[in-house]
Amino acid sequence: MNPTALIAEDEPLLAQALKAELAAAWPELQVAAIVGDGHSAVREALQLLPQVLFFDIRMPGLDGLGAAAELADRWPTDEAPMPQLVFVTAYDEYAARAFETQAIDYVLKPVQPERLRKTVLRLQQALASQPQHAKPAAADEALERTLAQWRQLLNAAGAGAGAANGGSAAQAATAPLKMIAASEAGGATVRMVPIDQVLYFEAADKYIRVLTATHEYLIRTPLKQLLTQLDPEIFWQVHRAVVVRSAAIEAVHRDEAGKLHLDLKGRPEKIPVSRLYGHLFRAM
């Protein structure tokens, strides 16, 4: 059976150009669908279950990073292996980070045939290495390898987005946040909240909820930008929308569907863990 792909690109001419170049570089590849936004990308990918995803990083509504993170959680691994993920971008900075982390690849706009052929070769090698009719242990190992590549891609692209919004990895390494100016419910009062009191952050619509043991505040900083200002040894991203204080994690539970949830000291709610970050809680 020929491999299939889904292209998510909000610029129709660029999407058609990528499809045409793929047809030349990889004639056996069937482009199952082309969509123009992240929500459509998630919906069509879950319906068509392609082997390869070409996601534009910047799309309306849900961007390529958000679409990939949502698919990582919702992909039915009992029906099809996790697909290979390739981000499409106009910015060289993402490509440089991808190569540093040895993730699968990026495709730069406008598409360059020679560069795309190298990407195709790497994708073909990755698909060929996937076990066919594998035993559960081998299938789990293959899934973890693919998830690790997705994490590398998302981390590289997320760091680039944070820098583009005014932060930088270097700044985060030398000057992590100590205090956060956050609004109370209603927005009439702003409090200076010591970072040491924060148990977790949760993205919600246009805001981020800042939760301490006894209070909830709101900030408007995008989560990907906030992450660049937090000490990664202290705060762990466990879901595309949630960052927790690692020292506040009291217990990890797995439900009947195999999904992980956290109990935090001082908070009653269960915190979901994305499949992408499940490796953080694997028993040593």
Side-chain angles (χ1 to χ4, degrees), residues 26 35 40 57 73 107 117 158 162 176 183 194 218 223 230 232 240 247 264 270 274 276:
W26 195 354
V35 297
S40 297
I57 287 182
D73 267 350
V107 171
R117 278 194 285 274
S183 302
L218 299 174
L223 188 62
L230 299 176
R240 62 188 171 87
L264 297 186
K270 302 288 186 185
S274 167
L276 276 175

Side-chain angles (χ1 to χ4, degrees), residues 50 63 91 108 124 139 154-155 180 212 230 260 264 279-280:
D63 65 15
Y91 299 95
L108 290 173
Q124 290 170 333
L154 288 165
N155 289 339
I180 293 180
T212 70
L230 299 176
L260 298 177
L264 297 186
H279 67 292
L280 294 172

Side-chain angles (χ1 to χ4, degrees), residues 147-166:
L147 287 172
Q149 291 173 334
W150 281 47
R151 279 195 296 273
Q152 290 170 346
L153 276 170
L154 288 165
N155 289 339
N165 287 326

Side-chain angles (χ1 to χ4, degrees), residues 103-134:
I104 282 291
D105 219 336
Y106 276 63
V107 171
L108 290 173
K109 302 186 216 178
V111 178
Q112 302 172 11
E114 182 61 28
R115 183 68 182 79
L116 183 62
R117 278 194 285 274
K118 293 180 180 178
T119 297
V120 165
L121 178 60
R122 295 175 72 175
L123 287 169
Q124 290 170 333
Q125 291 171 340
L127 292 179
S129 69
Q130 287 182 338
Q132 302 295 321
H133 309 295

Side-chain angles (χ1 to χ4, degrees), residues 18 29-30 49 56 62 70 74 95-96 98 105 134 140-141 162 202 206-207 211 228 231 236 240 254 256 258:
L18 176 57
L29 182 70
Q30 296 181 356
L49 302 180
D56 185 10
L62 185 66
E70 185 169 337
R74 297 178 59 188
D105 219 336
D140 289 345
E141 186 177 334
E202 181 180 39
K206 297 179 181 178
Y207 297 93
L211 285 303
T228 67
D231 186 336
W236 294 357
R240 62 188 171 87
R254 187 182 298 277
E256 293 180 353

Side-chain angles (χ1 to χ4, degrees), residues 15-266:
Q16 290 301 325
L18 176 57
K19 181 181 179 182
E21 293 296 344
L22 282 171
W26 195 354
E28 298 80 13
L29 182 70
Q30 296 181 356
V31 176
I34 297 176
V35 297
D37 64 87
H39 291 295
S40 297
V42 172
R43 184 184 65 249
E44 291 298 310
L46 291 175
Q47 180 175 343
L48 299 171
L49 302 180
Q51 279 80 52
V52 185
L53 305 173
F54 291 93
F55 277 10
D56 185 10
I57 287 182
R58 297 187 178 183
M59 291 189 288
L62 185 66
D63 65 15
L65 304 180
E70 185 169 337
L71 277 177
D73 267 350
R74 297 178 59 188
W75 191 267
T77 55
D78 55 339
E79 297 180 31
M82 286 284 292
Q84 301 299 315
L85 175 63
V86 179
F87 280 133
V88 182
T89 176
Y91 299 95
D92 283 343
E93 62 185 283
Y94 297 122
R97 288 190 177 86
F99 281 117
E100 288 171 2
T101 58
Q102 300 180 342
I104 282 291
D105 219 336
Y106 276 63
V107 171
L108 290 173
K109 302 186 216 178
V111 178
Q112 302 172 11
E114 182 61 28
R115 183 68 182 79
L116 183 62
R117 278 194 285 274
K118 293 180 180 178
T119 297
V120 165
L121 178 60
R122 295 175 72 175
L123 287 169
Q124 290 170 333
Q125 291 171 340
L127 292 179
S129 69
Q130 287 182 338
Q132 302 295 321
H133 309 295
K135 294 180 179 179
D140 289 345
E141 186 177 334
L143 173 61
E144 285 305 316
R145 284 200 303 270
T146 304
L147 287 172
Q149 291 173 334
W150 281 47
R151 279 195 296 273
Q152 290 170 346
L153 276 170
L154 288 165
N155 289 339
N165 287 326
S168 74
Q171 285 176 330
T174 57
L177 279 178
K178 298 296 184 184
M179 303 285 286
I180 293 180
S183 302
E184 291 186 332
T189 304
V190 174
R191 299 285 186 187
M192 296 305 295
V193 182
I195 197 74
D196 291 345
Q197 295 181 9
V198 178
L199 298 182
Y200 73 100
F201 300 93
E202 181 180 39
D205 296 327
K206 297 179 181 178
Y207 297 93
I208 291 179
R209 301 170 63 211
V210 181
L211 285 303
T212 70
T214 56
H215 290 81
E216 174 178 337
Y217 307 93
L218 299 174
I219 58 176
R220 284 181 174 270
T221 305
L223 188 62
K224 62 182 67 173
Q225 183 178 341
L226 176 65
L227 276 168
T228 67
Q229 302 173 66
L230 299 176
D231 186 336
E233 297 294 326
I234 295 176
F235 286 97
W236 294 357
Q237 184 167 16
V238 300
H239 187 274
R240 62 188 171 87
V242 181
V243 177
V244 304
R245 173 179 293 279
S246 57
I249 298 171
E250 187 168 56
V252 186
H253 303 283
R254 187 182 298 277
D255 64 19
E256 293 180 353
K259 295 185 176 181
L260 298 177
H261 301 270
L262 304 180
D263 288 338
L264 297 186
K265 300 170 185 174

